[in-house]
Amino acid sequence: MGTRVTLRSVAEAAGVSTAAVSYAFNRPDRLSAEMRSRILAVARELGYSGPDAAARSLRTGRANAIGVIFTTELTYAFSDPYVLALLGGLAETLAHSRTSLVLIPFVSVVAGLTDAEVRQSLDAVHRAVIDGAVADGLTDDHPAVRALSDRALPLVRSSETTTGRCVLIEDRQAGRDIGRHLANLGHRDVAVVVSSPGAPGRIVPRVDEATLYPYSRNRLVGIREGLPADARVRVVSGGSNAFASGHAAAAAILAAPDRPTAIAADSDVLAAAVVETATGLGLHVGQDLSVTGFDDVPLAASAGLTTVRQPIEEKGRLMARMLLDPDGTPNRVTLPTELVVRSSTGPVPAR
Amino acid sequence: MGTRVTLRSVAEAAGVSTAAVSYAFNRPDRLSAEMRSRILAVARELGYSGPDAAARSLRTGRANAIGVIFTTELTYAFSDPYVLALLGGLAETLAHSRTSLVLIPFVSVVAGLTDAEVRQSLDAVHRAVIDGAVADGLTDDHPAVRALSDRALPLVRSSETTTGRCVLIEDRQAGRDIGRHLANLGHRDVAVVVSSPGAPGRIVPRVDEATLYPYSRNRLVGIREGLPADARVRVVSGGSNAFASGHAAAAAILAAPDRPTAIAADSDVLAAAVVETATGLGLHVGQDLSVTGFDDVPLAASAGLTTVRQPIEEKGRLMARMLLDPDGTPNRVTLPTELVVRSSTGPVPAR
DNA sequence: TGCACGATGTTAAACGATTAACACGAGGAG
DNA sequence: CTCCTCGTGTTAATCGTTTAACATCGTGCA
């Protein structure tokens, strides 16, 4: 009574082998209908609810689940439209293959984490029972990525990697599109708000640019290329991809006496926050100040943001497919982006 | 070379027992520093990345993960602000206990699913390696809930249950608040848009009300109680909790020659869609037509929706805590709600 | 009649780890 | 000097399945 019901106890109660019970649950065709229903009857009677998930995973080597890990902490993730679109894409592909989505909480690698905290985070990565993982925006040397590839799990990433599989967009080219668009409008003084673990509003010195997320860095390089050589570009930390961070960054930028004529943000969320802040200061966005975003999430359209559209859901679908069917899919895919011009950008004001 | 590196192979290579290797990874205090570092060195050399997750789960009986299952399909879930808030709450509690969140794809039980599809869905529930689960809005007799409780997993729900643990809100009381509010404004003809698996826009006959989601049913009962006895109440299916469904339901309702003076929706998303549709038809919401929502998600404030606020994130936090610490938390909690009046409701138009 | 074959069960070897229980030697207390 | 304890390491049982390989038997076919 105190002991748990297992495959074995069912087998004993039914007077058959454990193999038979296993087949009854997994391979109906291997058993006569009569035997099968007898076994299932006994199982039901004993309150046996089918093979144990963990044991099954161990034995078969399959978990029927894939992990997901983000640059941002899980708690924030659910308010980030980019992440949501990606998850939506993943879920769509997974929906009909009885594969679950395991969201691994990873305390993001901001400064000042104790060793113990990092270790505990990594522990979650090690203990996740999964067949593969999707890592969004993480570099090769990110501890979580390392942990995953150490585990020899199939891994699909959304940033450049020489070793693994990835789904990319041309961040640099997209940056160039933005830079050129602003240049054509006459802008020569641009602030770039990058997603970065630092405190929002802080100026990112040139030497630190190497530490930015790869996509941020690439976009930044592109923006510089798209602008004339003599343009001024200041790089400002946008903190996490959230409204509050965007507000803080915008406030810092707009408080400067020689404020820029345009602000290019790393995401639509940040850009929308910049717009809000600017509007609050009495600025007319699209005239006094131009603002660009990135991603073209639904928010962008309603906020009238000029932005770069990337097919996020398609990215998710593709990543999932690359994980589920490693042989039927390429190692590396680059998806197209497109500059979408709306009302948040306009000619540089006549001084 | 072809064979996988395991705890055992490391032990052999290092000339120690498997126990020692296990301790090296799990219980540093059980080993001398020297021995431990020697073992870790050998492990690194062999490319051993730590104990296998599935084996560990089997042996310890812990998965370090909890499952989540919704009434809505996973693909839609990520665009449902209610779900996102709940997930946010869950994640918040889980963040620091190295527990992952397993999103189980369950093909929702709409009509016309083949047996095979349902079975496959249930399979995902059976195969999920988890320590417990959160089920949002599902009844006792939902197949997925049954599967979970058969597995004898701790389960926390957000709907009334005699047997298990749950976090509730007073749906009926909240409904009464809405009904009374509308009654005070003079409304006597109200359409209620309920979340239901049926096609949006369809009238739900009285006999079918028993099949609604429990929270829908309770709110509906409350609304009826809040309205005068002679008021007319028509119940309309809102389909899934998405804008498109809301539009369809609203279109159907507003097309009727004797259209109601107020529409009470089961969620803010549906309500916002109703507002859009009505506005598109030239109606002035708050004057020509009153609309109420439910949840008070961020969307509600910007849309000016009169709605009932429920503490969704708190719900999530609580559910997670009840799962992680079954002994330190009560079996059953009821959270408060509050009617929030905004501009989407107003006095019934003067005929 | 003989025989190969499909259908149906069983045997038993993994899968990769965790952890009581025990063994052993060194050092401290009495 | 003896006994107890503490720190380290090992032995071996166990977690609950899956599945190749084999045994058995009734059948259809030449």
Side-chain angles (χ1 to χ4, degrees), chain B residues 16-17 19-20 30-32 35 58-59:
Chain B
V16 300
S17 69
R30 282 291 318 257
L31 252 39
S32 70
M35 169 119 237
L58 170 59
R59 184 59 244 227

Side-chain angles (χ1 to χ4, degrees), chain A residues 73-80 84 103, chain B residues 68 70 78 80-95 101 103 312-318 320:
Chain A
E73 288 183 41
L74 202 44
T75 315
Y76 294 144
F78 300 119
S79 56
D80 183 339
L84 296 176
L103 307 184
Chain B
V68 192
F70 303 108
F78 299 120
D80 183 339
Y82 169 87
V83 168
L84 296 176
L86 194 73
L87 285 173
L90 292 170
E92 206 173 307
T93 296
L94 263 39
L101 212 49
L103 307 183
I312 310 176
E313 278 169 337
E314 177 59 19
K315 211 177 190 176
R317 282 191 292 263
L318 216 52

Side-chain angles (χ1 to χ4, degrees), chain A residues 94-248:
Chain A
L94 262 41
H96 299 288
S97 65
R98 62 164 151 66
T99 302
S100 297
L101 212 48
V102 178
L103 307 184
I104 303 175
F106 192 84
V107 179
S108 76
V109 207
V110 298
L113 270 186
T114 68
D115 244 34
E117 285 172 308
V118 170
R119 214 191 330 273
Q120 170 154 323
S121 269
L122 279 178
D123 220 39
V125 177
H126 278 121
R127 299 185 114 98
V129 182
I130 50 180
D131 297 317
V134 165
D136 185 70
L138 273 48
T139 49
D140 285 329
D141 60 347
H142 188 287
V145 169
R146 268 228 263 275
L148 287 170
S149 51
D150 281 353
R151 281 183 63 181
L153 285 174
L155 184 59
V156 177
R157 318 243 309 277
S158 64
S159 41
E160 195 67 54
T161 163
T162 48
T163 71
R165 329 190 99 215
C166 54
V167 177
L168 302 168
I169 59 170
E170 301 260 23
D171 281 304
R172 185 161 164 190
Q173 177 56 48
R176 237 175 275 148
D177 290 343
I178 292 173
R180 226 172 266 146
H181 172 65
L182 292 176
N184 289 342
L185 292 169
H187 295 277
R188 296 290 179 273
D189 188 352
V190 177
V192 177
V193 180
V194 296
S195 323
S196 109
R202 230 174 38 85
I203 290 281
V204 178
R206 194 81 185 219
V207 292
D208 286 357
E209 287 181 11
T211 69
L212 295 176
Y213 291 126
Y215 65 85
S216 272
R217 194 173 47 238
N218 291 336
R219 291 174 197 172
L220 175 57
V221 169
I223 291 177
R224 284 219 178 87
E225 289 172 351
L227 289 168
D230 64 332
R232 172 173 181 195
V233 175
R234 38 193 133 176
V235 181
V236 179
S237 169
S240 65
N241 186 26
F243 274 89
S245 311
H247 288 140

Side-chain angles (χ1 to χ4, degrees), chain B residues 9-70:
Chain B
S9 47
V10 173
E12 280 166 4
V16 300
S17 69
T18 61
V21 180
S22 177
Y23 287 143
F25 280 94
N26 299 314
R27 311 264 310 261
D29 51 313
R30 282 291 318 257
L31 252 39
S32 70
E34 184 210 15
M35 169 119 237
R36 177 168 136 90
S37 62
R38 203 180 81 218
I39 292 177
L40 292 182
V42 173
R44 191 166 12 254
E45 194 175 340
L46 294 185
Y48 181 70
S49 61
D52 176 81
R56 195 177 239 194
S57 273
L58 170 59
R59 184 59 244 227
T60 62
R62 292 197 29 72
N64 298 292
I66 71 173
V68 192
I69 187 159
F70 303 108

Side-chain angles (χ1 to χ4, degrees), chain B residues 172-193:
Chain B
R172 184 162 166 188
Q173 178 56 47
R176 236 176 274 148
D177 290 343
I178 292 173
R180 226 171 266 147
H181 172 65
L182 292 177
N184 290 342
L185 291 169
H187 294 277
R188 295 292 178 273
D189 188 352
V190 177
V192 178
V193 180

Side-chain angles (χ1 to χ4, degrees), chain B:
Chain B
M1 193 63 214
T3 179
R4 198 168 151 197
V5 31
T6 70
L7 201 62
R8 167 137 57 200
S9 47
V10 173
E12 280 166 4
V16 300
S17 69
T18 61
V21 180
S22 177
Y23 287 143
F25 280 94
N26 299 314
R27 311 264 310 261
D29 51 313
R30 282 291 318 257
L31 252 39
S32 70
E34 184 210 15
M35 169 119 237
R36 177 168 136 90
S37 62
R38 203 180 81 218
I39 292 177
L40 292 182
V42 173
R44 191 166 12 254
E45 194 175 340
L46 294 185
Y48 181 70
S49 61
D52 176 81
R56 195 177 239 194
S57 273
L58 170 59
R59 184 59 244 227
T60 62
R62 292 197 29 72
N64 298 292
I66 71 173
V68 192
I69 187 159
F70 303 108
T71 55
T72 156
E73 288 183 40
L74 201 44
T75 315
Y76 294 143
F78 299 120
S79 56
D80 183 339
Y82 169 87
V83 168
L84 296 176
L86 194 73
L87 285 173
L90 292 170
E92 206 173 307
T93 296
L94 263 39
H96 299 287
S97 65
R98 63 164 153 64
T99 303
S100 298
L101 212 49
V102 179
L103 307 183
I104 304 176
F106 193 83
V107 179
S108 76
V109 208
V110 298
L113 269 186
T114 68
D115 244 34
E117 284 172 309
V118 170
R119 211 188 336 268
Q120 169 154 325
S121 269
L122 279 178
D123 222 38
V125 177
H126 278 119
R127 299 185 114 99
V129 182
I130 50 180
D131 297 317
V134 165
D136 184 70
L138 271 48
T139 49
D140 285 329
D141 60 346
H142 188 285
V145 169
R146 268 228 263 274
L148 286 171
S149 51
D150 281 353
R151 281 183 63 180
L153 285 175
L155 186 58
V156 177
R157 318 246 307 278
S158 63
S159 41
E160 195 68 54
T161 164
T162 48
T163 70
R165 328 191 99 215
C166 54
V167 176
L168 302 169
I169 59 170
E170 301 260 23
D171 281 304
R172 184 162 166 188
Q173 178 56 47
R176 236 176 274 148
D177 290 343
I178 292 173
R180 226 171 266 147
H181 172 65
L182 292 177
N184 290 342
L185 291 169
H187 294 277
R188 295 292 178 273
D189 188 352
V190 177
V192 178
V193 180
V194 297
S195 321
S196 108
R202 232 175 34 89
I203 291 282
V204 179
R206 195 81 186 219
V207 291
D208 286 356
E209 286 180 13
T211 69
L212 294 177
Y213 291 126
Y215 65 87
S216 272
R217 193 171 51 238
N218 291 336
R219 290 174 197 173
L220 176 57
V221 169
I223 290 176
R224 282 217 179 86
E225 289 171 353
L227 289 169
D230 64 333
R232 171 173 182 198
V233 174
R234 39 193 131 174
V235 181
V236 180
S237 168
S240 65
N241 185 25
F243 274 89
S245 311
H247 288 141
I253 294 170
L254 297 174
D258 58 338
R259 65 153 193 263
T261 64
I263 302 183
D266 235 6
S267 76
D268 290 336
V269 171
L270 290 173
V274 170
V275 169
E276 280 181 11
T277 301
T279 306
L281 291 173
L283 294 175
H284 208 308
V285 169
Q287 295 172 245
D288 307 330
L289 179 73
S290 286
V291 177
T292 67
F294 209 102
D295 296 341
D296 197 31
V297 295
L299 166 77
S302 50
L305 280 177
T306 291
T307 189
V308 170
R309 173 176 309 154
Q310 64 163 317
I312 310 176
E313 278 169 337
E314 177 59 19
K315 211 177 190 176
R317 282 191 292 263
L318 216 52
M319 292 179 105
R321 222 171 305 138
M322 288 169 73
L323 235 32
L324 294 180
D325 175 23
D327 303 320
T329 45
N331 265 345
R332 178 194 172 83
V333 177
T334 303
L335 296 176
T337 63
E338 178 194 358
L339 183 71
V340 178
V341 177
R342 297 205 182 87
S343 59
S344 69
T345 48
V348 69
R351 156 91 194 81

